[in-house]
Amino acid sequence: MSRYIFSGHESFQCKSLWLKKGYDYLLDGNSFTDTDAVAKLGVGKNMVSAIRFWLRAFGLTKADELQSVARYIFDSKNGRDPFAEDLNTLWLLHFLLISSEVASIYNLLFVEYQREKKEFSRSELQSFIKRKCAVPEQKNVYNENTVRKDIGVLLKNYVAPQDLKAIEDFSSLLIALGLIIDTGKQSTTKEQIYTFKISEISEITSEIILFALIQMKGNDRTVSFDVLQQLSLIFGIPMTTLIDVIRSLEVSFPDTLVFTDNSGIKNVQFLRDIEEKEALNHYYDQL
């Protein structure tokens, strides 16, 4: 079990153009520690730190080095969606945020918590995270105030604001996915109650699911049922729907993968090596 990581965002959710701004900044040979970073990025000092954090949290950088997926999406010349205008690019980024686990709270909520319950309040999520941290492997990781801020930022990333005057909150990168919904109900302690959206499969192209399967299988040729369950939770689609998507991928990529169900043991078998880029090209080449 890896140690959980909280904070780093300076209490800022990821704004819609920050990843592109940070990508261009690093591509030009700059460093986030440069004395003129504030001037070049045109944001405050804390926002510079936040942009740096979100690039890492989305798996777009490692040690401030741009990764291939960052170039694939955000490059001004050859990037497939430099301003993240396509909804499927947002689904891709959502998956990267959870799978990178740099910001642990996203995997904890969408995968771990959602296995147990479909509704939550802030304090219920906080209690869950505190419980997950109460093991020797996570000693001294949990801090009440830090996790509370993480929860607040997570909700700003995903929940559409109720106040139409909250212009800044509408600039959050991932709210268009609508993955977390304010139910309008309150708990016994007068807290808002949130729920996870069940996504329509028409919202997500199958190639994004294929990208996720390729990444999660690693060097193996088999994707276990447990991993399929995780993908079902990450994308907010029922398992039966996910299996239907995989069946459609069998048709689109007949030499690449096959879904098997032997004596109730369900998994995906890859028949050949395939790069993540090939899956994405299959989608973006059609735009």
Side-chain angles (χ1 to χ4, degrees):
M1 178 189 294
S2 58
R3 283 175 67 81
Y4 298 139
I5 303 170
F6 302 105
S7 78
H9 43 65
E10 301 291 336
S11 296
F12 290 106
Q13 73 271 32
C14 187
K15 307 295 180 65
S16 58
L17 296 178
W18 275 9
L19 299 181
K20 170 63 173 168
K21 184 187 287 283
Y23 172 85
D24 289 343
Y25 179 77
L26 289 178
L27 191 67
D28 287 341
N30 299 299
S31 169
F32 287 111
T33 57
D34 290 345
T35 55
D36 59 353
V38 169
K40 284 187 174 180
L41 284 166
V43 297
K45 183 178 180 181
N46 288 351
M47 287 187 181
V48 171
S49 297
I51 292 172
R52 184 184 192 183
F53 167 80
W54 286 118
L55 284 169
R56 191 160 50 89
F58 279 97
L60 302 177
T61 60
K62 287 184 180 178
D64 288 344
E65 292 291 327
L66 291 167
Q67 302 299 292
S68 59
V69 68
R71 295 184 175 88
Y72 186 90
I73 300 171
F74 292 105
D75 192 75
S76 294
K77 292 182 179 179
N78 301 309
R80 293 309 188 98
D81 190 10
F83 297 101
E85 297 170 293
D86 189 278
L87 190 65
N88 279 294
T89 301
L90 299 185
W91 281 113
L92 173 59
L93 290 168
H94 164 72
F95 171 76
L96 291 171
L97 176 61
I98 292 175
S99 60
S100 77
E101 295 191 48
V102 169
S104 300
I105 192 171
Y106 294 88
N107 189 277
L108 281 167
L109 174 64
F110 282 100
V111 178
E112 300 296 333
Y113 186 92
Q114 198 179 178
R115 286 186 196 272
E116 299 184 12
K117 292 179 66 178
K118 294 297 182 183
E119 291 188 343
F120 65 95
S121 65
R122 290 176 184 244
S123 61
E124 286 172 334
L125 179 55
Q126 179 118 14
S127 296
F128 172 80
I129 294 171
K130 185 175 183 178
R131 172 161 59 87
K132 295 293 288 186
C133 291
V135 293
E137 295 86 351
Q138 305 297 340
K139 186 178 180 181
N140 298 326
V141 165
Y142 181 82
N143 177 278
E144 196 85 15
N145 290 330
T146 300
V147 172
R148 185 180 296 113
K149 289 178 182 178
D150 258 25
I151 293 171
V153 169
L154 180 149
L155 292 173
K156 283 190 174 183
N157 270 326
Y158 285 97
V159 181
Q162 300 294 313
D163 183 0
L164 297 180
K165 295 179 181 178
I167 303 297
E168 277 296 304
D169 292 344
F170 280 99
S171 68
S172 299
L173 178 65
L174 299 175
I175 59 170
L177 297 178
L179 275 170
I180 301 176
I181 301 166
D182 184 342
T183 65
K185 299 185 294 185
Q186 289 188 333
S187 67
T188 54
T189 56
K190 304 299 181 182
E191 286 188 293
Q192 291 169 287
I193 296 176
Y194 301 93
T195 190
F196 300 95
K197 183 184 80 168
I198 299 175
S199 305
E200 298 289 336
I201 193 52
S202 59
E203 297 177 59
I204 315 169
T205 187
S206 59
E207 288 88 350
I208 299 299
I209 304 294
L210 178 56
F211 174 93
L213 286 167
I214 295 168
Q215 186 168 108
M216 293 190 78
K217 78 176 180 64
N219 295 321
D220 297 329
R221 286 289 181 96
T222 302
V223 180
S224 68
F225 186 68
D226 180 64
V227 171
L228 296 182
Q229 285 182 313
Q230 291 180 50
L231 287 179
S232 169
L233 295 168
I234 289 170
F235 290 109
I237 52 178
M239 178 58 71
T240 53
T241 304
L242 177 62
I243 291 173
D244 287 342
V245 174
I246 295 169
R247 294 290 194 193
S248 74
L249 287 169
E250 287 181 304
V251 176
S252 301
F253 298 83
D255 63 337
T256 302
L257 77 166
V258 61
F259 177 77
T260 63
D261 186 352
N262 297 322
S263 303
I265 300 175
K266 301 177 176 67
N267 57 40
V268 174
Q269 297 284 340
F270 275 82
L271 307 176
R272 67 177 177 92
D273 292 329
I274 177 174
E275 293 184 359
E276 296 164 356
K277 184 179 178 180
E278 182 180 338
L280 296 179
N281 283 344
H282 196 268
Y283 171 69
Y284 286 103
D285 284 350
Q286 301 174 59
L287 298 182

